[in-house]
Amino acid sequence: MNKLIKISVFTISLCCIVSCKTQHFETPEYGKNETEKVIPIRKVTNFRTVGSIKNVDGRTLKEGKLYRSAHLHKLKKKSFDDFEKLGIREIIDLRNSKEIAEKPDQLPSETIYKKYSAFEDEGDQLAQAKKLVLKGKVNASDADKRMISFYREYVTENPEMIKKMITEILESTDPILYHCTAGKDRTGITTALLLTILKFDKETIYNEYLLSNNYRKELVQKRLRLANTLHFLYPKMDLKVLEKLSWVEKRYLDAAFEEIDKKYGSADTYIQQALGISDSKRNEYIRKFTY
């Protein structure tokens, strides 16, 4: 048995040497200021609290009110106490029904769980792209366009769902955690919208967004190295696509805000008309989440 295993490993290694070409991966842009507190929760990635940053009026976002992360499918019962210590009582799941069915969150029984998917019927474009990657039917340029399109559509195609989700978060009385699959795109857009409502400037918002690259760096680099090593198994796959789907880029968030400006004229108008938040309510949220 051991001999067969050794032969199999040798065969795979030999195939890799013959078939694989080392892929050069680009260095992503990272957040410059690691202002957020990363929470070490076993089997959960990109788990952090959004806080300790100042808005345009000099008010500081309260730490421990807003939490963001990747999915909680592998959350261990041993970590339930960590949730209790953080005071998290409610989870907002931004994934679609299919994603949730495949990898449901594992949560303490008393946790309030709600889901808000902007693309519930068809599934999001990211999932569609991943299905075509292994067959080599999506190249890096295609993936980039899909990401841009995804960000544009997320903020404007289903404004009522975005409104409900944002309202749920801002009206929460206890610390709240919202997440998607990797905790970088849908979660990143959601955080950007929340910070815009709370009057944080563009530099601060984009730095917070790019921190996903900082906190997912080890995980992503490990996956890219593995994909490069095993590329001979899926020779048609463009590894640059995997790279595009692994990191966040400023251009993606630019696309979301540009679409908001295109359809509503400004972020302030979007907040009032699409999200239904009046100036007085917005100021109320600012007082609630900052000091």
Side-chain angles (χ1 to χ4, degrees):
M1 186 66 173
N2 289 333
K3 186 176 181 180
L4 286 175
I5 293 175
K6 290 180 180 179
I7 292 175
S8 298
V9 171
F10 174 77
T11 303
I12 291 175
S13 300
L14 183 61
C15 288
C16 186
I17 292 173
V18 173
S19 306
C20 291
K21 294 182 180 179
T22 301
Q23 176 73 58
H24 171 71
F25 295 110
E26 297 179 7
T27 301
E29 184 173 1
Y30 296 105
K32 296 178 181 178
N33 302 308
E34 294 190 1
T35 55
E36 299 179 350
K37 183 179 180 181
V38 179
I39 313 296
I41 302 291
R42 287 191 63 196
K43 300 295 183 178
V44 181
T45 61
N46 207 10
F47 194 115
R48 62 196 205 249
T49 177
V50 186
S52 300
I53 49 179
K54 293 184 180 296
N55 71 3
V56 296
D57 297 320
R59 296 179 65 89
T60 302
L61 185 63
K62 296 176 182 177
E63 191 175 277
K65 297 283 286 184
L66 301 172
Y67 290 92
R68 53 174 293 180
S69 75
H71 69 77
L72 307 175
H73 176 59
K74 294 183 179 181
L75 182 68
K76 301 297 182 182
K77 288 184 178 180
K78 292 181 179 179
S79 297
F80 287 179
D81 288 342
D82 295 324
F83 270 56
E84 180 69 28
K85 292 175 182 177
L86 294 173
I88 297 173
R89 300 285 183 272
E90 184 174 352
I91 304 295
I92 301 296
D93 196 334
L94 305 177
R95 299 175 298 166
N96 63 44
S97 294
K98 185 176 181 180
E99 291 174 294
I100 294 171
E102 291 176 350
K103 293 185 177 181
D105 284 352
Q106 304 300 316
L107 302 171
S109 58
E110 66 275 12
T111 303
I112 298 171
Y113 174 83
K114 297 184 179 181
K115 56 182 180 179
Y116 295 94
S117 174
F119 303 116
E120 188 56 51
D121 294 332
E122 299 177 3
D124 59 62
Q125 293 184 33
L126 297 180
Q128 293 174 21
K130 289 176 183 177
K131 292 178 181 179
L132 301 174
V133 171
L134 294 180
K135 297 180 179 180
K137 294 184 178 181
V138 177
N139 59 36
S141 178
D142 294 331
D144 193 62
K145 291 176 182 177
R146 285 173 180 267
M147 292 296 289
I148 294 292
S149 178
F150 172 81
Y151 272 71
R152 285 175 177 163
E153 293 178 5
Y154 192 81
V155 292
T156 58
E157 287 299 303
N158 194 348
E160 190 60 34
M161 184 61 73
I162 300 298
K163 175 183 177 180
K164 290 179 180 179
M165 176 264 292
I166 290 292
T167 300
E168 183 71 27
I169 294 173
L170 292 174
E171 288 291 329
S172 61
T173 55
D174 294 310
I176 191 168
L177 167 67
Y178 52 94
H179 75 86
C180 51
T181 297
K184 65 183 183 71
D185 297 304
R186 286 165 287 190
T187 302
I189 297 171
T190 298
T191 304
L193 291 177
L194 290 169
L195 294 181
T196 300
I197 293 167
L198 299 177
K199 294 188 177 180
F200 285 84
D201 62 25
K202 181 178 179 179
E203 182 179 355
T204 301
I205 292 172
Y206 276 67
N207 181 76
E208 197 285 332
Y209 169 74
L210 289 172
L211 285 178
S212 281
N213 288 342
N214 298 47
Y215 303 140
R216 299 181 73 251
K217 180 179 179 181
E218 185 177 346
L219 173 66
V220 171
Q221 290 182 338
K222 181 179 179 180
R223 287 178 176 175
L224 290 177
R225 286 195 300 269
L226 180 62
N228 193 34
T229 300
L230 300 178
H231 192 206
F232 70 95
L233 295 174
Y234 302 99
K236 294 182 179 181
M237 178 177 66
D238 184 349
L239 292 179
K240 286 291 184 180
V241 174
L242 181 59
E243 184 179 26
K244 280 290 181 185
L245 298 177
S246 296
W247 304 110
V248 294
E249 296 185 27
K250 278 185 176 180
R251 295 183 303 109
Y252 299 157
L253 195 55
D254 280 341
F257 282 117
E258 286 169 2
E259 190 69 9
I260 286 174
D261 288 342
K262 178 181 177 182
K263 292 193 174 183
Y264 293 89
S266 69
D268 288 338
T269 303
Y270 174 79
I271 290 170
Q272 291 182 333
Q273 295 183 2
L275 304 184
I277 300 174
S278 65
D279 287 339
S280 59
K281 192 64 176 179
R282 187 176 183 181
N283 287 327
E284 180 184 320
Y285 289 143
I286 291 172
R287 290 192 297 271
K288 177 180 178 180
F289 287 93
T290 67
Y291 63 89

